[in-house]
Amino acid sequence: VSIDGLSEMMDDARIPSKIGRMCSQIIKYHYDTRSMEPNMEKPDKFIERKILIGLIVSDDFIRAIAPIWSIHYMEASTAKLLSSWCVDYFRKYNKAPFRDIEGIFTEKIKKGMQKDDIEYISEILESLNEEYEDAGNFNSDYLIDQTKQNFSTQRLKQYAESIMNYVEEGDIVSAEKEALSFVPSGDDESSHVI
């Protein structure tokens, strides 16, 4: 069965529409439809989207993630911006913003934002709207585990990149110092032995 065939099966009327659409989008998003090879450029965007939904709709999720969150763990500029708004909101009110994210966005517009950023964030929030309306089926424990793993991966990538930059510059001493300075995350679930 091709990816397009799988997508059509997911769109079939016998499968509940939200689930079918979601599965279809995941299949198309993660696989090159010509070769059926995994699309390695997009999985981080998918998890970032789920992280944003969690930060917006789930008190349990944001409570677990805010202490370990770093803007550097998010790759997309919009994900960095939206996640920072959510974490700032949580630190002030001790809960997820949920519908208040729209008010936060309006405040940011009033304070001055680029037109392109406004349009893009507006599109993102609109597309997230349908997903976070279905927050009753939100599995925060699973997403917390996935987010911790993603953050750990991002952190390791950043350390590796920093080390490689020193190596490429010929500064082996600094590369070794950087490598030795790595401290695994204190969270048992996301720690890795190097």
Side-chain angles (χ1 to χ4, degrees), residues 49-186:
R49 182 177 185 81
K50 293 298 181 189
I51 291 168
L52 286 174
I53 292 168
L55 291 171
I56 292 170
V57 305
S58 173
D59 293 337
D60 290 338
F61 179 79
I62 199 168
R63 193 170 290 114
I65 296 305
I68 62 170
W69 173 87
S70 168
I71 199 164
H72 303 292
Y73 296 157
M74 307 301 278
E75 290 187 16
S77 59
T78 307
K80 289 179 182 194
L81 193 59
L82 288 170
S83 64
S84 69
W85 295 351
C86 292
V87 171
D88 289 346
Y89 183 95
F90 172 76
R91 289 181 178 150
K92 186 171 184 178
Y93 301 106
N94 201 33
K95 64 180 184 174
F98 202 69
R99 292 282 180 203
D100 287 345
I101 195 70
E102 295 162 359
I104 295 168
F105 180 46
T106 302
E107 287 175 25
K108 300 295 182 181
I109 291 171
K110 289 178 183 176
K111 290 181 180 178
M113 287 181 73
Q114 298 281 338
K115 183 180 178 184
D116 290 345
D117 290 340
I118 293 170
E119 289 174 4
Y120 190 64
I121 291 171
S122 180
E123 288 173 15
I124 296 279
L125 289 176
E126 188 175 314
S127 70
L128 289 175
N129 188 46
E130 184 176 312
E131 291 179 57
Y132 70 65
E133 282 179 351
D134 195 27
N137 295 326
F138 185 80
N139 183 344
S140 64
D141 293 333
Y142 176 74
L143 188 57
I144 288 167
D145 290 343
Q146 294 298 304
T147 301
K148 287 178 179 180
Q149 181 178 359
N150 178 266
F151 285 1
S152 182
T153 300
Q154 293 302 323
R155 187 167 176 256
L156 287 167
K157 283 181 183 178
Q158 291 164 10
Y159 265 97
E161 186 176 307
S162 176
I163 293 166
M164 287 309 299
N165 287 339
Y166 284 125
V167 170
E168 289 171 6
E169 293 169 2
D171 188 353
I172 303 304
V173 172
S174 294
E176 288 175 342
K177 283 182 182 178
E178 184 75 11
L180 292 172
S181 73
F182 180 79
V183 177
S185 151

Side-chain angles (χ1 to χ4, degrees), residues 21-39:
R21 278 195 311 271
M22 183 175 70
C23 292
S24 177
Q25 289 170 351
I26 291 169
I27 290 166
K28 289 177 183 176
Y29 197 74
H30 287 292
Y31 288 88
D32 181 318
T33 56
R34 293 175 305 277
S35 67
M36 287 192 55
E37 292 295 318
N39 185 340

